[in-house]
Amino acid sequence: MTKVVIIGGGPGGYEAALVASQLGGDVTLVERDGLGGAAVLTDCVPSKTLIATAEVMSTMQRAAELGLHFWGDDAEGAIRVDMAKLNERVLKLAGAQSRDISARLEHEGVRIINGSAVLNGTHAVTATTQDAVEELHADIILLATGTTPRELPEARCDGMRILNWKQLYQLDKVPERLIVVGSGVTGAEFASAYDALGCDVVLVSSRKQVLPGEDQDAANVLQRAFTSRGMEIISEARAESARMEGDEVVVGLTDGREVRGSHCLLAVGSIPNTAGLGLEEAGVTLTPGGHVLVDRVSRTSVRNIYSAGDVTGVFPLASVAAMQGRIAMYHALGDAVSPLDLRKVSSNVFTSPEIATVGTTQKQVDLGEVRLASVLLPLASNARAKMQGFTDGFVKLFCLPTTGIITGGVVVAPNASELIHSVAVCVGQRVTVDEFSSNFTVYPSMTGSLAEAARRLHQTGGAFLTS
């Protein structure tokens, strides 16, 4: 029986373990902090649980627009955020999800070791627990060790007022004034959530607008939404320090300015967990940034050693990590496998409104890397959006100019994470705009705008109507 040892129990690790067990491997998984890894315990599950509560608050804040009034018309006074209770629920749900994963692995026959591990050559792993040190023989090794939040040299997190995103769930009160450093996905999501929870938020962005790595039309919508809600955005500014002065946090910017608040969240990227694992000694090649270099079947420079998840730097999404882990085991254990295709990956930014994308990007079009037809359809004309009081957003579709095959899309809307799936199916199955638009949608619905965008890309004799 092939012995498989997996280091790390996040989505890349536990999904790989399930596949390896299904294919007849003798699987051992070593996890230091808890099954589910950061995605379940300190990242995706906790943050999206927090955001779910923030979404309810956003809905209540729009109550007057929908004809609903609180007693005395005091919406802020009618609802109070119990941060301690909210975070208790967040951590409880994360723990429950972790236990569910553990139970599933045990049911499938996966041996779980609660401890840390390092490579001892290419066919052995040394696992260390509180009670013992064990040498594990491995025919196949998978590394899924994740990342750690990056800190600035002069802005060290103290877990009390200067925080990284893993430490937010210890707060028992809503911060009076939260300085969010970093306007990427993590920074934007937490800024959006805490703004909805009634916190005064200051967002420090090193770029001209938020979400520099996302579709720029979508980022424009989000920036307008943030500013219209009263959020202060300090653009084209870099933070270099954070220090305590009494009960205040003072964030120093590189241009000499200082920003004061009650708390500071550092969302300035992450560092791969590759140090001290014995990778170099085993011959595993790392990128200049310290990530594990892998090919499209998750294999490293060593034939029997694979890697999955954020530690590879391929695409920091739980869904991608899980797919990398599955692909690794399919390949290693001789099953049919399709290499990872990032063109089919759908992603979502859980802000208000949400931003979901898949496939071809506007940046590729603007740089001339691809020649495509496209259409952008604002949600302001969508009947369902009007009914629900949502008009900030749009849908955008890209297609090949000759065949009409859909190659990508962007959705900026409430529940965009759910709406993008139909576009992702089209990208994966090479569906044309005519085929997509010929299927019925519910009226009224947000999906109606997707079908309408496809109709506007209707092919007529090799040309496309886009108006």
Side-chain angles (χ1 to χ4, degrees):
M1 184 177 290
T2 303
K3 291 187 177 297
V4 179
V5 177
I6 297 169
I7 304 175
Y14 73 73
E15 287 289 344
L18 291 171
V19 170
S21 178
Q22 180 185 43
L23 296 179
D26 179 3
V27 186
T28 300
L29 188 152
V30 186
E31 167 56 41
R32 180 179 58 192
D33 299 320
L35 271 298
V40 169
L41 296 172
T42 59
D43 196 347
C44 294
V45 171
S47 66
K48 277 50 177 181
T49 305
L50 174 77
I51 289 167
T53 300
E55 287 172 349
V56 174
M57 287 293 290
S58 295
T59 301
M60 301 307 292
Q61 289 163 3
R62 296 195 316 275
E65 300 175 22
L66 304 178
L68 302 175
H69 295 276
F70 293 92
W71 184 260
D73 284 336
D74 182 13
E76 293 185 5
I79 305 174
R80 179 179 63 87
V81 178
D82 186 338
M83 201 72 206
K85 189 70 174 178
L86 169 56
N87 280 332
E88 179 185 343
R89 178 175 182 265
V90 165
L91 296 176
K92 183 178 179 180
L93 286 175
Q97 185 68 14
S98 178
R99 289 190 294 274
D100 286 346
I101 294 168
S102 180
R104 171 77 190 285
L105 290 170
E106 290 176 355
H107 180 266
E108 298 298 329
V110 176
R111 182 191 176 200
I112 299 170
I113 296 178
N114 299 313
S116 58
V118 297
L119 298 187
N120 186 6
T122 60
H123 286 84
V125 171
T126 302
T128 303
T129 67
Q130 288 184 340
D131 305 318
V133 176
E134 184 177 353
E135 198 74 14
L136 304 170
H137 171 73
D139 298 307
I140 299 165
I141 297 172
L142 177 85
L143 305 166
T145 51
T147 60
T148 298
R150 179 172 167 260
E151 296 183 10
L152 301 177
E154 300 299 322
R156 296 299 181 184
C157 297
D158 59 14
M160 299 176 65
R161 289 185 179 267
I162 303 175
L163 309 161
N164 61 45
W165 63 82
K166 293 186 176 184
Q167 299 169 331
L168 282 169
Y169 311 110
Q170 306 305 319
L171 295 176
D172 56 8
K173 294 181 180 179
V174 177
E176 292 181 13
R177 182 174 169 84
L178 176 65
I179 304 167
V180 179
V181 177
S183 62
V185 173
T186 301
E189 287 186 345
F190 279 113
S192 180
Y194 274 89
D195 175 71
L197 292 173
C199 177
D200 182 16
V201 176
V202 181
L203 183 59
V204 178
S205 173
S206 63
R207 305 297 181 89
K208 189 174 182 179
Q209 67 177 22
V210 301
L211 295 177
E214 299 295 319
D215 180 273
Q216 289 305 292
D217 292 322
N220 286 334
V221 170
L222 187 63
Q223 178 126 344
R224 289 197 302 269
F226 280 177
T227 54
S228 68
R229 297 201 294 260
M231 186 186 301
E232 180 182 354
I233 301 176
I234 304 176
S235 300
E236 298 181 285
R238 287 187 177 276
E240 65 176 356
S241 65
R243 67 182 189 276
M244 291 297 304
E245 283 190 6
D247 290 335
E248 281 190 320
V249 176
V250 181
V251 174
L253 306 182
T254 54
D255 61 9
R257 288 180 292 170
E258 292 186 339
V259 186
R260 294 177 178 268
S262 63
H263 296 75
C264 172
L265 168 64
L266 291 174
V268 290
S270 57
I271 300 170
N273 295 328
T274 51
L277 293 179
L279 303 183
E280 295 91 339
E281 294 82 352
V284 176
T285 301
L286 303 180
T287 69
H291 293 92
V292 179
L293 185 65
V294 294
D295 61 18
R296 292 177 60 202
V297 293
S298 307
R299 186 168 51 185
T300 72
S301 54
V302 180
R303 286 186 60 84
N304 69 302
I305 299 178
Y306 294 74
S307 188
D310 290 3
V311 73
T312 68
V314 170
F315 207 145
L317 294 175
S319 58
V320 173
M323 186 63 74
Q324 283 181 293
R326 297 185 199 108
I327 287 173
M329 293 301 103
Y330 291 143
H331 184 266
L333 294 170
D335 201 38
V337 61
S338 297
L340 182 68
D341 187 352
L342 294 179
R343 295 173 300 178
K344 299 178 181 179
V345 174
S346 53
S347 62
N348 193 72
V349 184
F350 289 85
T351 47
S352 179
E354 292 182 6
I355 298 172
T357 57
V358 66
T360 306
T361 65
Q362 186 68 53
K363 183 177 181 180
Q364 290 175 297
V365 175
D366 294 341
L367 291 176
E369 296 177 5
V370 291
R371 180 174 169 267
L372 299 171
S374 67
V375 66
L376 186 152
L377 187 64
L379 277 184
S381 61
N382 181 284
R384 184 66 182 275
K386 291 175 183 176
M387 295 170 191
Q388 295 181 322
F390 298 114
T391 55
D392 290 331
F394 62 82
V395 299
K396 182 193 293 188
L397 288 181
F398 300 98
C399 73
L400 295 175
T402 302
T403 62
I405 292 172
I406 295 172
T407 63
V410 182
V411 179
V412 182
N415 299 317
S417 52
E418 308 294 341
L419 296 171
I420 198 65
H421 183 250
S422 61
V423 184
V425 171
C426 291
V427 172
Q429 299 299 316
R430 298 179 61 81
V431 174
T432 69
V433 290
D434 289 345
E435 290 169 336
F436 184 49
S437 62
S438 67
N439 286 283
F440 284 91
T441 58
V442 172
Y443 182 85
S445 70
M446 298 287 192
T447 55
S449 286
L450 288 170
E452 174 63 20
R455 279 192 291 274
R456 295 193 183 194
L457 285 169
H458 170 59
Q459 187 179 19
T460 56
F464 282 84
L465 303 176
T466 58
S467 61

